[in-house]
């Protein structure tokens, strides 16, 4: 890892100004960024740690919306997001306990790894990504693998999740990395069902609209019987072919619907 | 270079570090606490697990500068001053929970963190908690057994491997 200057501001405003410098980068829990820097795939001249910003931490539920600070660790979400059990459960299965004690929701959503768990929850919940300058709807936020609507130096300060009537996340584990080989988040709201799939597509997390339509008619796994996902845009690698991932999308969606009840 | 100060195993510790200095490097090379092992350096193996403000973290994936002001505990803090092993360490010895011993510091630190949150974990809970701790020797069976024994549970029904 190349050397860099390290700063740890205590407010969002100070962090934003530190990030204004060329080649400065935000540091969340470092669980993705530090390994990337060790491989010299990133070499910022300055790291701006967000871990000292108290305003960016914590979980609160109010009026049917769960708000999670952008600097909140997966471990804290697992322990404190009881108002949205499917989300707490998702957080409790990210990586391992030591990763969950450092990694943050803001870091996960900013990174938008095509196999990460949180992007599917945010998209399936129609969450709002709150930054230091604006609010971005999840439908506009995810723009393909490792690509988001965030501008240079923009910080995710919070994420707002409307709490669904029923929801479930099913993760088919890639046993070596502990990420999702395929993960499906199903959330049922008064105004409709949303289904978001991670791990599967070369275009990153996506909504499976045919499944949403079928589940809007009938919220039962059988409603998905005749649906198939086309393998063409799926990820194919040594862990699973395109066809295998396409098949898993159907299986995991049915399991999620069953578990959501 | 920046100065960092933290409490390590109950004692004040400080030193000058670069931005990129990892906590594992600070512990091993600056403080000479080589009980914390670095197996992979890529956040996979868990040999480097220490406690930072009471939470298990991989010390190869946190900057020393991030731990400035923190309370850090390493494997060296686990036995009593006279060398008496703590319950988890003693159980690892009694139940043959280690072979080469390379993963053991991280295993013990993870196990201690688990038992603090969950004083009587099931076998499945122990295995899930150790997801990020890799052992290339034991096959895990005796590690799980040792942790169950350390938590005061009867392990006579669990077959020896
Ligand atoms: C062994 C292991 C297993 C894992 N398993 C899983 C898994 O099963 N599922 C899963 O989803 N993830 C998994 N992860 C990834 C983990 O969840 C990371 O914590 C997460 O991807 C990144 O979060 P972070 O806070 O560590 O961010 P960092 O690594 O610090 O940063 C990642 C990126 O986000 C930017 N960033 C950080 N915080 C913010 C913010 N608030 N606003 C804007 N930009 C920001 C950084 O500049 C950087 O570009 C795993 C990681 C490891 C090491
Ligand atoms: S050395 Fe830190 S996880 Fe392997
Ligand atoms: S005892 Fe050798 S790696 Fe675990």
């Amino acid at each position: 890892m190349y050397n860099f200057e390290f700063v740890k501001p205590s407010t969002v405003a100070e962090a934003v100004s530190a990030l204004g410098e060329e080649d400065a980068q935000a540091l969340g829990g470092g669980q993705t960024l530090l390994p990337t820097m060790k491989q010299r795939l990133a070499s910022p001249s300055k790291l701006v740690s967000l871990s000292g910003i108290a305003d960016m931490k914590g979980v609160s539920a109010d009026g049917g919306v769960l708000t999670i600070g952008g600097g909140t660790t997966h471990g804290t979400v697992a322990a404190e997001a009881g108002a949205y059990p499917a989300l707490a459960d998702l957080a409790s299965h990210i990586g391992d306990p030591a990763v969950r004690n450092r990694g943050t929701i803001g870091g996960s959503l900013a990174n938008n790894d095509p196999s990460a768990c949180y992007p599917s929850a945010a998209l399936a919940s129609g969450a709002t990504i709150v930054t230091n300058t604006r609010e971005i709807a999840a439908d506009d936020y995810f723009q393909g693998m490792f690509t988001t609507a965030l501008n240079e130096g923009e910080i995710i300060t919070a994420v707002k999740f409307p709490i669904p009537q029923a929801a479930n996340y099913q993760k088919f584990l890639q046993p070596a990395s502990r990420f999702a080989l395929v993960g499906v988040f199903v959330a049922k709201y008064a105004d409709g069902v949303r289904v978001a799939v991670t791990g599967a597509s070369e275009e990153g997390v996506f909504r499976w609209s045919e499944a949403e339509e079928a589940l809007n008619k009938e919220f039962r796994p059988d409603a998905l019987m005749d649906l198939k996902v086309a393998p063409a845009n799926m990820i194919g690698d040594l862990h699973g072919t395109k066809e295998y991932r396409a098949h898993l999308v159907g299986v995991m969606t049915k399991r999620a619907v069953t578990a959501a009840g | 270079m920046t100065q960092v100060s933290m409490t390590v195993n109950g004692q004040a510790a400080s030193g000058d570090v670069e931005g990129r200095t990892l906590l594992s490097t600070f512990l091993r090379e600056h403080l000479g606490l080589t009980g914390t092992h670095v197996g992979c350096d890529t956040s996979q193996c868990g040999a480097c697990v220490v406690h930072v403000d009471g939470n298990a973290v991989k010390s190869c994936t946190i900057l020393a500068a991030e731990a400035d002001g923190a309370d850090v505990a390493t494997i060296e803090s686990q036995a009593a001053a006279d060398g008496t092993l703590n319950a988890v360490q003693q159980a690892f010895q009694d139940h043959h929970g280690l072979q080469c011993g390379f993963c053991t510091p991280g295993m013990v630190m993870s196990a201690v963190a688990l038992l603090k949150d969950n004083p009587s974990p099931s076998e499945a809970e122990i295995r899930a908690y150790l997801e990020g701790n890799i052992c290339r020797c034991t096959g895990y069976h005796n590690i799980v057994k040792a942790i169950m024994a350390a938590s005061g549970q009867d392990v006579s029904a669990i077959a020896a491997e």
Side-chain angles (χ1 to χ4, degrees), chain B residues 97-104 134-138 143:
Chain B
L98 63 149
Q99 289 178 24
C100 80
F102 193 85
C103 69
T104 314
I134 293 174
C135 175
R136 291 287 83 137
C137 302
T138 63
I143 291 175

mmCIF file of all heavy atoms in Angstrom, chain B residues 97-104 134-138 143, ligand 3:
data_model
loop_
_atom_site.group_PDB
_atom_site.id
_atom_site.type_symbol
_atom_site.label_atom_id
_atom_site.label_comp_id
_atom_site.label_asym_id
_atom_site.label_seq_id
_atom_site.Cartn_x
_atom_site.Cartn_y
_atom_site.Cartn_z
ATOM 1 N N GLY B 97 -7.603 -28.084 20.818
ATOM 2 C CA GLY B 97 -8.163 -27.119 19.877
ATOM 3 C C GLY B 97 -7.115 -26.454 19.003
ATOM 4 O O GLY B 97 -7.432 -25.488 18.305
ATOM 5 N N LEU B 98 -5.891 -26.913 19.072
ATOM 6 C CA LEU B 98 -4.868 -26.346 18.184
ATOM 7 C C LEU B 98 -3.860 -27.416 17.810
ATOM 8 O O LEU B 98 -3.659 -28.379 18.536
ATOM 9 C CB LEU B 98 -4.131 -25.169 18.838
ATOM 10 C CG LEU B 98 -3.314 -25.445 20.096
ATOM 11 C CD1 LEU B 98 -2.131 -24.489 20.155
ATOM 12 C CD2 LEU B 98 -4.183 -25.300 21.337
ATOM 13 N N GLN B 99 -3.277 -27.227 16.650
ATOM 14 C CA GLN B 99 -2.176 -28.103 16.252
ATOM 15 C C GLN B 99 -0.937 -27.246 16.034
ATOM 16 O O GLN B 99 -0.114 -27.085 16.925
ATOM 17 C CB GLN B 99 -2.570 -28.941 15.033
ATOM 18 C CG GLN B 99 -3.618 -29.999 15.441
ATOM 19 C CD GLN B 99 -4.099 -30.836 14.291
ATOM 20 O OE1 GLN B 99 -3.434 -31.001 13.280
ATOM 21 N NE2 GLN B 99 -5.287 -31.390 14.429
ATOM 22 N N CYS B 100 -0.820 -26.573 14.868
ATOM 23 C CA CYS B 100 0.375 -25.735 14.686
ATOM 24 C C CYS B 100 0.297 -24.468 15.531
ATOM 25 O O CYS B 100 1.312 -23.866 15.854
ATOM 26 C CB CYS B 100 0.577 -25.380 13.215
ATOM 27 S SG CYS B 100 -0.467 -24.022 12.641
ATOM 28 N N GLY B 101 -0.926 -24.021 15.843
ATOM 29 C CA GLY B 101 -1.092 -22.854 16.701
ATOM 30 C C GLY B 101 -1.110 -21.520 15.982
ATOM 31 O O GLY B 101 -1.270 -20.481 16.623
ATOM 32 N N PHE B 102 -0.977 -21.544 14.665
ATOM 33 C CA PHE B 102 -0.889 -20.250 13.971
ATOM 34 C C PHE B 102 -2.201 -19.465 14.048
ATOM 35 O O PHE B 102 -2.200 -18.256 14.259
ATOM 36 C CB PHE B 102 -0.472 -20.425 12.498
ATOM 37 C CG PHE B 102 -0.069 -19.119 11.886
ATOM 38 C CD1 PHE B 102 1.222 -18.639 12.022
ATOM 39 C CD2 PHE B 102 -1.001 -18.324 11.231
ATOM 40 C CE1 PHE B 102 1.585 -17.401 11.508
ATOM 41 C CE2 PHE B 102 -0.643 -17.085 10.720
ATOM 42 C CZ PHE B 102 0.657 -16.627 10.859
ATOM 43 N N CYS B 103 -3.318 -20.161 13.913
ATOM 44 C CA CYS B 103 -4.612 -19.469 13.914
ATOM 45 C C CYS B 103 -5.082 -19.152 15.320
ATOM 46 O O CYS B 103 -6.054 -18.413 15.507
ATOM 47 C CB CYS B 103 -5.671 -20.338 13.234
ATOM 48 S SG CYS B 103 -6.098 -21.818 14.201
ATOM 49 N N THR B 104 -4.431 -19.761 16.313
ATOM 50 C CA THR B 104 -4.973 -19.780 17.672
ATOM 51 C C THR B 104 -5.177 -18.405 18.316
ATOM 52 O O THR B 104 -6.215 -18.182 18.945
ATOM 53 C CB THR B 104 -4.111 -20.694 18.570
ATOM 54 O OG1 THR B 104 -3.851 -21.911 17.859
ATOM 55 C CG2 THR B 104 -4.800 -21.005 19.874
ATOM 56 N N ILE B 134 -9.910 -18.831 9.922
ATOM 57 C CA ILE B 134 -9.571 -20.042 9.173
ATOM 58 C C ILE B 134 -8.482 -20.821 9.905
ATOM 59 O O ILE B 134 -7.510 -20.244 10.387
ATOM 60 C CB ILE B 134 -9.122 -19.665 7.738
ATOM 61 C CG1 ILE B 134 -10.318 -19.090 6.982
ATOM 62 C CG2 ILE B 134 -8.541 -20.871 7.009
ATOM 63 C CD1 ILE B 134 -9.981 -18.545 5.614
ATOM 64 N N CYS B 135 -8.679 -22.128 10.000
ATOM 65 C CA CYS B 135 -7.673 -23.022 10.576
ATOM 66 C C CYS B 135 -7.334 -24.090 9.545
ATOM 67 O O CYS B 135 -8.232 -24.736 9.016
ATOM 68 C CB CYS B 135 -8.216 -23.689 11.836
ATOM 69 S SG CYS B 135 -7.066 -24.915 12.504
ATOM 70 N N ARG B 136 -6.067 -24.241 9.259
ATOM 71 C CA ARG B 136 -5.664 -25.224 8.254
ATOM 72 C C ARG B 136 -5.315 -26.572 8.864
ATOM 73 O O ARG B 136 -4.944 -27.493 8.167
ATOM 74 C CB ARG B 136 -4.463 -24.694 7.445
ATOM 75 C CG ARG B 136 -4.790 -23.528 6.528
ATOM 76 C CD ARG B 136 -5.604 -23.945 5.295
ATOM 77 N NE ARG B 136 -7.026 -24.030 5.586
ATOM 78 C CZ ARG B 136 -7.997 -23.573 4.813
ATOM 79 N NH1 ARG B 136 -7.715 -22.975 3.688
ATOM 80 N NH2 ARG B 136 -9.243 -23.729 5.141
ATOM 81 N N CYS B 137 -5.359 -26.683 10.188
ATOM 82 C CA CYS B 137 -4.928 -27.938 10.812
ATOM 83 C C CYS B 137 -6.063 -28.756 11.409
ATOM 84 O O CYS B 137 -6.212 -29.932 11.118
ATOM 85 C CB CYS B 137 -3.938 -27.663 11.937
ATOM 86 S SG CYS B 137 -2.462 -26.772 11.452
ATOM 87 N N THR B 138 -6.851 -28.147 12.271
ATOM 88 C CA THR B 138 -7.670 -28.957 13.183
ATOM 89 C C THR B 138 -8.947 -29.504 12.577
ATOM 90 O O THR B 138 -9.548 -30.403 13.151
ATOM 91 C CB THR B 138 -8.117 -28.118 14.398
ATOM 92 O OG1 THR B 138 -8.948 -27.055 13.908
ATOM 93 C CG2 THR B 138 -6.934 -27.537 15.146
ATOM 94 N N ILE B 143 -11.903 -27.116 18.048
ATOM 95 C CA ILE B 143 -12.003 -25.695 18.404
ATOM 96 C C ILE B 143 -13.423 -25.420 18.918
ATOM 97 O O ILE B 143 -13.625 -24.793 19.965
ATOM 98 C CB ILE B 143 -11.664 -24.805 17.182
ATOM 99 C CG1 ILE B 143 -10.175 -24.939 16.847
ATOM 100 C CG2 ILE B 143 -12.048 -23.353 17.448
ATOM 101 C CD1 ILE B 143 -9.747 -24.204 15.587
HETATM 102 S S1 LIG C 3 -3.879 -24.945 14.422
HETATM 103 FE FE1 LIG C 3 -2.742 -24.714 12.611
HETATM 104 S S2 LIG C 3 -3.921 -23.244 11.533
HETATM 105 FE FE2 LIG C 3 -5.169 -23.692 13.202
#
